[in-house]
């Protein structure tokens, strides 16, 4: 088949305009850029807030709070986000906010991928956490990466888990002329690390505290978590940056997280006592006090999956099948 010059001109015009579909290469490719914004929550202390939702193809896993602090000699970073691409965007944001200041320390609050999968773009010898966090990243990091690739796709391109190069033990650390207090807790996971900037009184709680978003429980021990919240409640502080949700001046994140966990435990214990199946337990109503929390129904259902089998083992009577 041949085409005449008029048909050729018409064809070229269509191709030149670009049709915008995904098979037309760069013209149709989705731009994967994290819209990171730094909010100054205390003097020279910035939070980078993520969405109060789940990982998905639209947000690229950006559902987390990350922070950075300008100290006299450079910058301290708390958590690094869900991917290598996020880490690069975070570095760009830091450079734009505090130009020419070197990153001196990166803390990881725990091993969940939204908090530490941006580690790759930082010098590993500057990344620090307790040994328990390091062990958890080494143990679960590859599995988390597989799951994150499934959930958010191309946003994860090139991302691989990197464990901190520094295992912390001391209770205080001076970085770049600023003192930080370090608290080694657990409950949300087996190793939760909390950092307090002793100059501003800001406490970076990681996921021991959530605000206006339902807590996640895949590695939770609720009784231990409640103990950690008690400890954080008694801590001298001026502001809490929870792992998810807005910065919190009045300790509301600790109260909300504790109340939700208490309800969750009571509800699931009651459900096991009543002989409900997991599917039946998932249908239980969410009380008014928690129904406005973001993604609460989904997180409650996930918590049933995480916590129900152990509660059944603990609470249901053993039947001697040998008799
Ligand atoms: Zn977490």
């Amino acid at each position: 088949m041949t085409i005449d010059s008029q048909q050729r001109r018409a064809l070229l015009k269509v191709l030149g305009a670009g049709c915008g579909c995904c098979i037309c290469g760069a013209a149709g490719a989705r731009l994967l850029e994290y819209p990171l914004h730094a909010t100054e929550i205390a003097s020279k202390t910035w939070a980078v807030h993520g969405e109060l939702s789940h990982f998905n193809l639209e947000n690229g896993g950006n559902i987390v709070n990350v922070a950075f602090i300008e100290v006299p000699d450079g910058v301290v970073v708390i958590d690094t986000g869900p991917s290598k691409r996020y880490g690069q965007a975070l570095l760009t944001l830091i450079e734009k906010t505090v130009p020419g200041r070197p990153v001196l320390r990166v803390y990881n609050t725990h091993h969940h991928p939204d908090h530490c999968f941006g580690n790759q773009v930082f010098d590993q010898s500057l990344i620090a956490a307790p040994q328990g966090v390091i062990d958890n990243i080494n143990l679960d990091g590859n599995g988390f990466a597989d799951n994150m690739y499934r959930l958010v796709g191309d946003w994860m391109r090139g991302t691989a888990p990197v464990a901190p190069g520094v295992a912390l033990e001391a209770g205080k650390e001076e970085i770049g002329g600023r003192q930080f207090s370090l608290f080694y807790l657990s409950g949300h996971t087996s190793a939760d690390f909390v950092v307090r900037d002793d100059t501003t009184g800001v406490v970076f709680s990681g996921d021991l505290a959530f605000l206006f978003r339902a807590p996640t429980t895949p590695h939770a021990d609720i009784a231990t978590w409640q103990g950690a919240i008690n400890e954080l409640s008694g801590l001298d502080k001026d502001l809490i940056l929870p792992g998810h949700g807005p910065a919190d001046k009045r300790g509301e994140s600790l109260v909300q997280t504790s109340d939700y966990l208490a309800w969750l435990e009571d509800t699931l214990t009651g459900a096991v006592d009543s002989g409900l199946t997991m599917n039946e337990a998932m249908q239980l109503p969410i009380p008014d006090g928690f129904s406005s929390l973001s993604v609460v129904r989904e997180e409650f259902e996930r918590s049933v999956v995480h916590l129900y089998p152990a509660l059944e083992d603990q609470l249901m009577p053993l039947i001697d099948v040998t008799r």
Side-chain angles (χ1 to χ4, degrees), residues 110 112 115 188 207 216:
H110 63 299
H112 285 161
H115 293 262
H188 174 66
D207 282 359
T216 62

Side-chain angles (χ1 to χ4, degrees), residues 105-136:
R105 171 64 86 218
V106 178
Y107 292 119
N108 284 165
T109 61
H110 63 299
H111 75 302
H112 285 161
D114 46 332
H115 293 262
C116 66
F117 270 25
N119 279 2
Q120 226 171 329
V121 306
F122 296 95
D123 181 340
Q124 192 179 12
S125 69
L126 302 177
I127 307 173
Q131 187 63 47
V133 174
I134 296 170
D135 291 346
N136 284 343

Side-chain angles (χ1 to χ4, degrees), residues 36-38 68 89-101:
L36 300 189
H37 176 74
F68 58 94
L90 176 63
L91 272 181
T92 303
L93 182 66
I94 292 171
E95 178 56 28
K96 194 175 120 193
T97 310
V98 282
R101 313 288 281 162

